[in-house]
Amino acid sequence: MTGNNFFARLFQGAQAVLKTNDLGRSTKPAPRLYPHQWNWDSAFIAIGLSHYDNQRARTEIHSLLNGQWKNGMIPHIIFNPAAANYQPGPEYWECHNSPDAPPEVFTSGITQPPILALAALDVYNNATDKQQAGEFLKTIYPRLYSLYRYFIRYRRAGTDGLTYIIHPWESGLDNSPRWDKPLNSFDLQWQPEYKRADNSIVDNAERPSDAEYERYSYLVELYRKLNWNEKAIRRESPFLVQPVLFNCLLSLGLGALEKIAGLVGTNNNEITRWKFELDLAINNRLWDIKKQAYGDFDLVTGNLYYTDTVAQFAPLMAGIAPADRVEQMVRKLHSADYWPTDGYPLCSVSRSDPAFDPIKYWRGPVWININWLVIRGLESYGFQSVARKLADKTLDLVNKNGFYEYFNPHTGRGHGSDNFSWTAALVVDLVTKCDQIDRNI
Ligand code: 9WN
């Protein structure tokens, strides 16, 4: 990165964060709070790395695939044996009781938004040595394919293309108000077998509540008793939700997988069909006619729940919504509910929603990965100037406040962990693209 000093400084700062969190073959999301490898974090991280160390970006993806289960699932955490002080740790998950778990690595038993193909395609597109990058795609293609087939085989409820999640941690937006209803639809008196460590590292006011953690741990202990068997979980789980964001990220992943199949010379008709069925179901089944917005379907109660949070813009991120709905979403995200006039976009929960809290985890603060996904979506629909405005605001936010995990949309102050990897990685991506655009003007 040369030229623009502002961009160059941010780029270097971001590189330093990624170096601090580098574990050799993988990158931890944050120095102390998250000492292992996380699924969608590593995908975002690979995208950032691919701009200045394409080989290291490929290693990031290889190390994530190393934790893949026999059924194709990539777990949400691959544990780093050298790290302690993260709860729940590997002994709690007992994944080796599943015949699908890899024998040599400790992992969690649930997954996260499947954006890995998107990352692999970006790594290829950002590589200067296309032959080497093409070889990389060829090598990983079978495992990427089995990751997406996993969702089709095991996570469809049977009636249409939508897939369900079995835990709020799978959504990536752990304590979003989106899960309040589904998570509280069952009675529970529960004491987890472990003591939380997160709220001794980060202020309790910025993390999920104990009541939420009790339910998170209840679900893990239930699935553990079922030896992580997909069919049994489907039958017994009190939490089965088809979220709009998760399904749209799956759609983005399938779109990227389709392109990768083309690049490696493999027939991709099946992937095209999976994506077609999924997109259709998102637009038909997750559209709330009364609210005129997208919601999440709860398979347990049979309800479509609309919640006024940033995840409702997911079909815009994925480029799959019809034009009239897109215009409506752009207007909404540009309103003071999501884009405070004197503050920073995008609030993760609408400021008009009673659940809005500017510093509490996924209940109001700005998250850089969400902004980044919205920026890409806006660009894909030709909203270049709103996209650029959002990118500039995002970079300004990080520049003034540091590479935090999330930010208060009113003051810009950083919360959660400092030196957060995906914030850094996506800043690298944003400054590189903004710089390219500026040079071409
Ligand atoms: C549980 C690592 C992860 C992110 C998630 C984010 C948070 C974990 C936690 O951190 O979740 O998976 O301990 O709170 O919600 O999106 O992948 O950065």
Side-chain angles (χ1 to χ4, degrees), residues 35-225:
H36 306 288
Q37 181 175 29
W38 261 260
N39 179 333
W40 74 329
D41 295 67
S42 271
F44 291 128
I45 289 163
I47 292 172
L49 287 170
S50 69
H51 289 289
Y52 61 91
D53 191 347
N54 205 270
Q55 191 180 339
R56 180 63 187 77
R58 298 196 296 266
T59 304
E60 188 75 26
I61 292 180
H62 279 302
S63 70
L64 189 60
L65 287 167
N66 201 31
Q68 186 168 34
W69 286 31
K70 281 198 203 100
N71 58 5
M73 182 187 78
I74 298 192
H76 97 299
I77 302 177
I78 298 171
F79 290 104
N80 162 18
N85 204 28
Y86 178 83
Q87 290 297 341
E91 62 295 332
Y92 181 76
W93 294 83
E94 287 181 6
C95 287
H96 286 124
N97 290 337
S98 161
D100 285 318
E104 278 125 33
V105 219
F106 286 106
T107 75
S108 69
I110 57 174
T111 190
Q112 254 189 341
I115 55 161
L116 191 58
L118 189 73
L121 187 60
D122 272 21
V123 168
Y124 173 83
N125 287 333
N126 296 334
T128 37
D129 186 340
K130 284 287 186 272
Q131 205 202 322
Q132 210 177 45
E135 285 304 317
F136 162 72
L137 289 184
K138 264 201 192 119
T139 312
I140 65 165
Y141 182 76
R143 281 180 289 156
L144 271 186
Y145 170 81
S146 76
L147 164 67
Y148 290 90
R149 192 186 51 194
Y150 163 79
F151 288 100
I152 313 300
R153 277 199 180 160
Y154 299 100
R155 294 299 188 92
R156 280 185 170 182
T159 46
D160 60 29
L162 292 178
T163 61
Y164 61 83
I165 61 168
I166 58 173
H167 197 291
W169 283 337
E170 290 201 318
S171 74
L173 319 185
D174 310 355
N175 70 336
S176 169
R178 298 189 94 79
W179 321 130
D180 289 358
K181 278 190 187 142
L183 203 56
N184 290 298
S185 67
F186 53 99
D187 289 331
L188 188 69
Q189 293 287 322
W190 191 254
Q191 271 305 316
E193 281 172 14
Y194 63 87
K195 189 172 165 337
R196 294 177 66 174
D198 61 305
N199 54 358
S200 60
I201 300 174
V202 162
D203 189 339
N204 207 22
E206 301 171 20
R207 294 285 305 175
S209 66
D210 279 346
E212 278 153 347
Y213 256 80
E214 278 160 25
R215 280 162 194 265
Y216 299 160
S217 70
Y218 169 76
L219 293 174
V220 173
E221 288 179 38
L222 172 67
Y223 304 155
R224 190 179 69 186
K225 276 187 213 124

Side-chain angles (χ1 to χ4, degrees), residues 255-295:
L257 186 70
E258 213 177 355
K259 293 200 178 105
I260 295 174
L263 286 166
V264 305
T266 303
N267 181 310
N268 55 13
N269 292 345
E270 188 185 29
I271 305 167
T272 310
R273 181 168 49 80
W274 292 342
K275 180 164 157 49
F276 175 80
E277 289 166 358
L278 174 61
D279 295 353
L280 195 71
I282 293 171
N283 280 314
N284 289 342
R285 295 232 0 258
L286 299 183
W287 179 251
D288 185 326
I289 296 173
K290 273 204 206 115
K291 300 283 180 189
Q292 288 291 297
Y294 290 94

